[in-house]
Amino acid sequence: MRDGETGTDANARIRLATSGDADAVRSIYEPFVESTPITFEETPPTEAELADRIESTLETAPWLVCERDGEVVGYAKAGSLRSMPAYRWVVELSVYVAADARRSGVATGLYTSLFEILALQGYQGVYAASTIPNPESARFHERMGFERIGVFPDAGYMLEEWHDVQWWHRPIGDREPAADPDPPTPLPDVRDGPNWEVALTAGEERLEFEE
């Protein structure tokens, strides 16, 4: 939490990622690549590759990490859904949490802050994809206000098996898309705004680490 604020854990906070977090992010992400089909990546990215991903994402959209006692225990990011200009008002989200930090509100807190920041930027909606079966992901996205919108059958072949992909959608701010929206504001332009810290604190208030 930030100085002068109260919360469930004074040693936990949500902040913007930096390229220096790449090693910690890799430690969290690598087991999902090696032991599950949910990432659709066949080889864990290197620390350098993840540093590049973080830096390129932050040019336009948020990549957040959750720290406890100075250790990164989870991260979430927004990225382009498609490259065509008409898609620029929506993003695709993903979130990953370290094994020993699950069920502590980390994913909920990270998504909460992402929603707030994306609203500040002027995005209109978010999408997420989850490899089937993944009941924990399904429960999480339903709890966070997402709706199931369709399945891509046999979308990926991983670990010697074909997997369907469930797609989810949620509006930003529980509102209808604007009729004539301005282009989203780049992330660097909102970081110095008056509501930046409010957005991060909104997610921190959802953390549930035990004292």
Side-chain angles (χ1 to χ4, degrees):
M1 305 299 290
R2 274 143 183 82
D3 292 343
E5 295 174 350
T6 59
T8 56
D9 190 334
N11 296 316
R13 66 169 180 154
I14 292 173
R15 61 168 174 81
L16 206 61
T18 73
S19 59
D21 294 312
D23 183 53
V25 166
R26 188 178 191 277
S27 295
I28 294 170
Y29 187 57
E30 184 177 52
F32 290 96
V33 177
E34 293 181 334
S35 304
T36 79
I38 66 176
T39 71
F40 276 15
E41 291 207 61
E42 295 182 344
T43 304
T46 65
E47 181 179 346
E49 288 171 335
L50 282 168
D52 288 342
R53 292 184 191 183
I54 291 170
E55 290 181 351
S56 62
T57 296
L58 294 177
E59 293 175 2
T60 55
W63 185 314
L64 303 178
V65 297
C66 177
E67 281 186 332
R68 190 187 190 200
D69 296 328
E71 178 183 356
V72 173
V73 295
Y75 71 92
K77 62 185 179 70
S80 299
L81 181 67
R82 295 288 187 274
S83 61
M84 287 74 81
Y87 285 100
R88 64 183 175 272
W89 286 277
V90 297
V91 289
E92 182 180 348
L93 306 186
S94 58
V95 59
Y96 293 92
V97 179
D100 59 357
R102 292 171 196 161
R103 292 180 173 81
S104 298
V106 175
T108 299
L110 287 165
Y111 259 23
T112 298
S113 288
L114 274 185
F115 296 156
E116 295 292 328
I117 293 170
L118 294 168
L120 294 177
Q121 292 184 260
Y123 285 101
Q124 302 294 302
V126 295
Y127 292 85
S130 58
T131 305
I132 300 173
N134 193 337
E136 184 174 355
S137 176
R139 289 191 295 270
F140 169 71
H141 284 93
E142 288 173 347
R143 190 169 67 248
M144 296 304 296
F146 285 78
E147 293 185 3
R148 299 172 189 256
I149 56 172
V151 173
F152 287 3
D154 298 329
Y157 185 78
M158 289 289 298
L159 303 179
E160 301 182 347
E161 188 175 4
W162 286 100
H163 294 275
D164 299 345
V165 172
Q166 173 72 60
W167 280 91
W168 304 83
H169 172 258
R170 182 189 189 278
I172 290 292
D174 298 321
R175 63 173 184 258
E176 292 294 324
D180 186 19
D182 292 326
T185 303
L187 182 69
D189 293 341
V190 302
R191 288 178 58 184
D192 296 327
N195 294 315
W196 177 259
E197 293 295 322
V198 174
L200 296 180
T201 300
E204 290 173 347
E205 291 174 349
R206 306 296 298 274
L207 301 177
E208 299 174 354
F209 291 112
E210 294 181 0
E211 296 291 348

